[in-house]
Amino acid sequence: MDIATVNALPYEDFVDILGNVVEKCPIITAAVWSGRPFLSLAALEAAISEFIDALPESGKEGILRCHPDLAGRDLQSGSLTRESREEQAGSGMGALNSGEASRMARLNQEYKERFGFPFVICARMHDKENILRELSARCQNERAVERARGIEEVKKICHLRLQSLVLTDNML
Ligand SMILES: NC(=O)NC1=NC(=O)NC1=O
């Protein structure tokens, strides 16, 4: 699908197709719909990014809380969204040994207790060793730093999800 097709989508289809580019936050897609027509995929992405940046801290933290833990309960119970399932599988979250799995669970819990929102990282850009290293390191940060870092990661996840749905302009 190219950006012209995206611009021609009725609202329902726009949200059906693009509603999960930010995990479990279709409100973001619903909000940017009124900004069409988008001159390019980059312009659509910028509209999403601007909507997120304009949110108060509570809104940003709400977006982070919509993300399932890496190698967490949702993965164990098979209730991840398709996108998250693919992302987590790709980074080896489904293939942790028992030591790695318990370390992930402990660090995720520690992170969440410290910040009040979950650790979020763009899993497609990391392997499991890197994710564990990042999680351990980022636990030491301040809340404001992690809120901003988590939102940066949300935008990377969104970028890759959009790339898989909409042809980038130079591919037309
Ligand atoms: N807590 C997370 O970082 N979750 C995730 N990152 C991804 O890239 N996909 C997820 O489900």
Side-chain angles (χ1 to χ4, degrees):
M1 177 170 58
D2 63 16
I3 196 65
T5 309
V6 169
N7 285 326
L9 291 174
Y11 167 74
E12 291 75 12
D13 297 339
F14 186 86
V15 172
D16 268 355
I17 295 165
L18 299 171
N20 204 46
V21 291
V22 176
E23 180 69 2
K24 297 187 180 167
C25 291
I27 183 176
I28 298 175
T29 304
V32 303
W33 180 74
S34 45
R36 79 202 188 287
F38 299 99
L39 295 180
S40 63
L41 175 58
L44 168 56
E45 202 172 323
I48 291 171
S49 185
E50 283 153 26
F51 179 87
I52 294 173
D53 290 343
L55 290 173
E57 289 177 0
S58 58
K60 292 184 174 100
E61 292 183 3
I63 290 174
L64 297 175
R65 292 188 192 109
C66 288
H67 285 70
D69 283 350
L70 289 168
R73 194 181 44 203
D74 289 358
L75 180 115
Q76 310 304 337
S77 64
S79 55
L80 288 174
T81 59
R82 177 183 56 75
E83 296 90 343
S84 276
R85 189 171 58 247
E86 289 167 4
E87 289 152 356
Q88 295 208 26
S91 59
M93 289 297 108
L96 301 180
N97 63 43
S98 59
E100 291 164 333
S102 54
R103 187 152 180 262
M104 270 302 289
R106 178 172 55 77
L107 287 171
N108 268 328
Q109 190 55 31
E110 182 185 321
Y111 183 101
K112 217 178 285 186
E113 281 165 9
R114 179 175 164 86
F115 297 116
F117 49 78
F119 171 76
V120 177
I121 194 167
C122 181
R124 280 193 193 279
M125 297 168 80
H126 298 279
D127 58 22
K128 63 180 180 177
E129 287 75 20
N130 210 350
I131 287 174
L132 273 162
R133 210 177 4 260
E134 283 289 301
L135 172 49
S136 174
R138 286 174 49 188
C139 272
Q140 313 309 319
N141 286 338
E142 291 305 312
R143 182 176 184 149
V145 169
E146 277 308 300
R147 183 188 306 116
R149 178 62 191 281
I151 288 298
E152 268 174 46
E153 295 299 315
V154 166
K155 290 178 180 177
K156 291 174 191 170
I157 297 168
C158 176
H159 173 76
L160 294 175
R161 289 186 181 187
L162 275 171
Q163 293 269 332
S164 69
L165 289 166
V166 183
L167 285 173
T168 36
D169 312 324
N170 55 24
M171 287 168 68
L172 287 181

